[in-house]
Amino acid sequence: MESVPTIRVHIEKFMREKNLKLQHFSDITGINVGTLSAILKGSRPMSMNQLNQITSVMGLEKGYFYESYGVESFIESSPHWRRLEPYLYECAELCKLDCIQQVITHVTDDRSYIEELFDVAESFFARGLKEAALILYECVADSEKYQHSERLALCQYRIFLLQKTLSKYDNLNAAVKFESYIDKLNEEVQLDAIKDLANVYNTIHLWDKVDAWARELERKAEFQLKIQSRRRKSNKRRLTAYPLFTYVAYANLLISSVYDARKEYENVLKYIEKYLEIVEVENPTQEDQQIIDLFLIWGEGNQYASQLMLGQENVINSYLDYIENNPSEILAGLINILQASNQYSFNIDYALDRFKDQINLFNTDMYIKGSYNDQMLNHVYQDFYYELANYQMKQRNYSLGMDALLMCLDLSSSSKDDLMCIKCLDLYGEYRSEAAETQIRKYKKLIEKLSLPTF
């Protein structure tokens, strides 16, 4: 097996080719000549800063030697945290994930640096270095899988957050795996974890799960509020992402969404009133007020939507004014209006015309996401384009309807949402005779991607 040249061999070769003496190389790298001599003799380890200085002088891109450095410093030699920590940060910043994986797999064998690695993972997570953080969390979790510790539970929570994809089945698997760890988290952290878990179930329409976790969230949040009321003078740092009343209100919002899915609109209105009462906070802070304003906006919009789904066509204009004044609610509002129009045969051409410019921005980087993350947004787009397709077909605007339907099929196939794909196929089958040649070709391409039979 051919041996791989060490970093020291590369440096010595560079010095020979450039005819550089040790003192001159010391001057241009800014590394003390004695230190440099010891590094080249192999009697002194090289720091990350020194490696970067030498790499730059050699005219190589930063990180060129990181793989070799990882092997020489942490696999072939005993690892030292003083060198390992900066190495992980440098690799993360340059997205050299293979280097991190290689070194961490070796380092976690003896569990020497589990606590330190967890702290670095948390730092990566806070900085948005998600892929690097995921590697560390998975290694720490694997090392602690029999410990049943809070740290293991927190690792699993972070892994759950980082592994969410556009695929409903990936998210379902991640959610089911994470559920058993929630009770091991800090009681305050549990509130955010349950909220995030319920949001995933909400996205994939598992309404019984949403209902169960929403009620658990309400119970736990109310308990924490009681504890907080007894500690009004406590300076204890808050561990939740939001003030505690937020979670009680949000739990009721989730419950209202369950009743909405079940078409029990009177109950929806009941729970809307409930969370609007919860956010009536005395002497709110600036943070409290921002959250209160958000719930007031949601509450008003959800009231219009529920009234509309009860067949009250007279609220449409007020609803349109509302979403125009709250641009982040336009997408959800139009979906609700389309659903009601499809159910009650309302003509809403004027509403679609009023928001045509905003609709043209949907599914582009210029659209205002509001409170949606990418995964949620994908599913909401699917709902919009499906309802739009259904409406336009009923209005005999077949070309517009078919375009919307194909957009929905494209989005649902990308996220592997089989239920929506089937709904699209059924609707296409009903109106396939109205499809233009270009639309037929596009449909066949999408079907090939799905590996399903054409109609």
Side-chain angles (χ1 to χ4, degrees):
M1 182 175 177
E2 186 177 348
S3 62
V4 179
T6 63
I7 299 173
R8 179 169 58 85
V9 169
H10 282 287
I11 296 170
E12 290 172 341
K13 180 183 177 184
F14 174 80
M15 291 175 65
R16 284 196 305 272
E17 290 175 348
K18 300 297 182 181
N19 196 26
L20 294 173
K21 301 297 183 183
L22 188 63
Q23 183 62 58
H24 188 196
F25 195 58
S26 169
D27 292 339
I28 59 178
T29 57
I31 302 172
N32 176 275
V33 67
T35 301
L36 192 56
S37 177
I39 288 172
L40 292 176
K41 288 177 182 177
S43 59
R44 177 167 181 161
M46 191 187 320
S47 70
M48 283 300 297
N49 187 48
Q50 290 164 346
L51 176 65
N52 289 335
Q53 289 173 278
I54 291 171
T55 304
S56 177
V57 167
M58 293 175 68
L60 301 170
E61 64 181 13
K62 186 177 181 181
Y64 182 86
F65 289 120
Y66 281 9
E67 185 176 356
S68 298
Y69 185 85
V71 172
E72 294 175 26
S73 300
F74 311 118
I75 297 177
E76 295 178 348
S77 304
S78 298
H80 192 289
W81 185 250
R82 192 173 62 189
R83 292 194 302 279
L84 179 57
E85 184 179 24
Y87 176 75
L88 294 176
Y89 275 96
E90 295 277 11
C91 287
E93 292 290 348
L94 293 180
C95 208
K96 289 189 171 291
L97 304 178
D98 289 344
C99 294
I100 295 176
Q101 185 73 67
Q102 177 179 245
V103 167
I104 293 306
T105 302
H106 177 79
V107 167
T108 52
D109 282 347
D110 60 5
R111 305 185 70 251
S112 298
Y113 296 120
I114 295 300
E115 185 175 347
E116 290 89 345
L117 289 172
F118 175 77
D119 290 340
V120 172
E122 289 284 85
S123 176
F124 286 173
F125 184 81
R127 294 184 184 197
L129 300 170
K130 296 181 179 180
E131 291 175 308
L134 182 59
I135 292 172
L136 297 192
Y137 284 128
E138 287 180 332
C139 281
V140 173
D142 189 58
S143 297
E144 295 208 330
K145 59 186 174 183
Y146 302 116
Q147 304 302 312
H148 308 291
S149 66
E150 183 180 331
R151 185 164 62 205
L152 171 61
L154 193 51
C155 280
Q156 294 294 352
Y157 178 30
R158 301 294 193 227
I159 291 169
F160 165 70
L161 292 175
L162 293 169
Q163 284 186 331
K164 285 191 290 187
T165 70
L166 293 178
S167 167
K168 63 183 293 185
Y169 296 109
D170 289 344
N171 295 328
L172 175 59
N173 290 334
V176 170
K177 181 180 178 182
F178 172 57
E179 274 193 19
S180 62
Y181 291 96
I182 285 182
D183 286 342
K184 298 180 181 67
L185 291 167
N186 173 281
E187 289 182 344
E188 288 184 57
V189 176
Q190 285 182 32
L191 301 183
D192 284 302
I194 293 172
K195 171 185 67 68
D196 292 328
L197 185 65
N199 281 341
V200 168
Y201 285 132
N202 190 53
T203 300
I204 57 183
H205 300 171
L206 290 180
W207 303 117
D208 288 347
K209 284 283 193 180
V210 177
D211 186 69
W213 282 110
R215 295 181 191 278
E216 181 72 352
L217 177 61
E218 181 179 31
R219 184 185 68 80
K220 286 180 177 287
E222 286 179 340
F223 179 73
Q224 288 299 316
L225 275 170
K226 290 178 182 177
I227 294 176
Q228 185 187 65
S229 66
R230 298 179 196 142
R231 299 178 179 170
R232 291 201 177 276
K233 296 183 180 179
S234 173
N235 293 321
K236 180 185 173 185
R237 183 174 69 89
R238 190 182 85 194
L239 297 180
T240 54
Y242 307 100
L244 289 176
F245 77 89
T246 309
Y247 299 91
V248 184
Y250 193 72
N252 283 277
L253 187 150
L254 286 169
I255 294 169
S256 73
S257 73
V258 173
Y259 283 118
D260 182 71
R262 293 170 179 168
K263 303 186 186 305
E264 299 178 27
Y265 300 112
E266 295 292 353
N267 280 327
V268 175
L269 290 168
K270 172 185 169 183
Y271 277 90
I272 291 171
E273 289 180 8
K274 191 173 177 182
Y275 68 70
L276 289 177
E277 288 176 5
I278 291 166
V279 298
E280 292 178 357
V281 177
E282 292 184 11
N283 303 316
T285 65
Q286 184 177 357
E287 181 188 21
D288 292 342
Q289 192 59 55
Q290 289 175 340
I291 293 168
I292 291 166
D293 291 343
L294 195 56
F295 273 96
L296 291 176
I297 289 171
W298 289 340
E300 183 182 357
N302 290 339
Q303 283 175 330
Y304 285 136
S306 298
Q307 291 165 348
L308 192 56
M309 296 309 296
L310 287 168
Q312 298 175 27
E313 187 177 5
N314 60 305
V315 304
I316 291 181
N317 285 324
S318 296
Y319 199 5
L320 292 174
D321 292 339
Y322 160 82
I323 64 176
E324 187 169 39
N325 291 328
N326 298 282
S328 62
E329 299 298 310
I330 290 174
L331 178 55
L334 290 177
I335 291 172
N336 292 328
I337 292 169
L338 282 164
Q339 286 176 336
S341 68
N342 287 331
Q343 181 174 341
Y344 295 106
S345 299
F346 300 153
N347 186 307
I348 58 159
D349 287 352
Y350 63 97
L352 296 174
D353 186 63
R354 179 172 171 177
F355 289 93
K356 63 183 178 182
D357 291 339
Q358 292 89 335
I359 291 171
N360 288 336
L361 292 178
F362 287 174
N363 208 29
T364 70
D365 292 337
M366 296 178 67
Y367 175 66
I368 299 172
K369 290 185 179 182
S371 59
Y372 298 118
N373 58 37
D374 288 340
Q375 178 222 9
M376 293 172 65
L377 194 59
N378 179 277
H379 288 279
V380 177
Y381 280 140
Q382 290 177 39
D383 290 340
F384 171 77
Y385 286 113
Y386 179 80
E387 295 296 339
L388 180 62
N390 204 355
Y391 174 78
Q392 296 290 18
M393 297 296 194
K394 288 180 177 179
Q395 296 297 313
R396 299 185 179 182
N397 299 322
Y398 299 119
S399 180
L400 293 174
M402 198 60 67
D403 283 343
L405 180 60
L406 293 173
M407 175 65 79
C408 182
L409 182 57
D410 193 8
L411 290 169
S412 56
S413 63
S414 296
S415 62
K416 299 179 182 178
D417 189 334
D418 292 347
L419 182 59
M420 182 57 84
C421 285
I422 292 170
K423 289 173 66 176
C424 289
L425 296 181
D426 286 345
L427 191 59
Y428 182 88
E430 185 177 349
Y431 292 100
R432 62 181 179 272
S433 62
E434 306 297 339
E437 282 300 319
T438 55
Q439 292 169 330
I440 293 171
R441 287 196 294 271
K442 184 173 182 180
Y443 174 77
K444 288 181 176 178
K445 285 183 180 179
L446 291 171
I447 293 301
E448 287 173 3
K449 191 165 67 171
L450 285 171
S451 299
L452 293 172
T454 57
F455 293 88

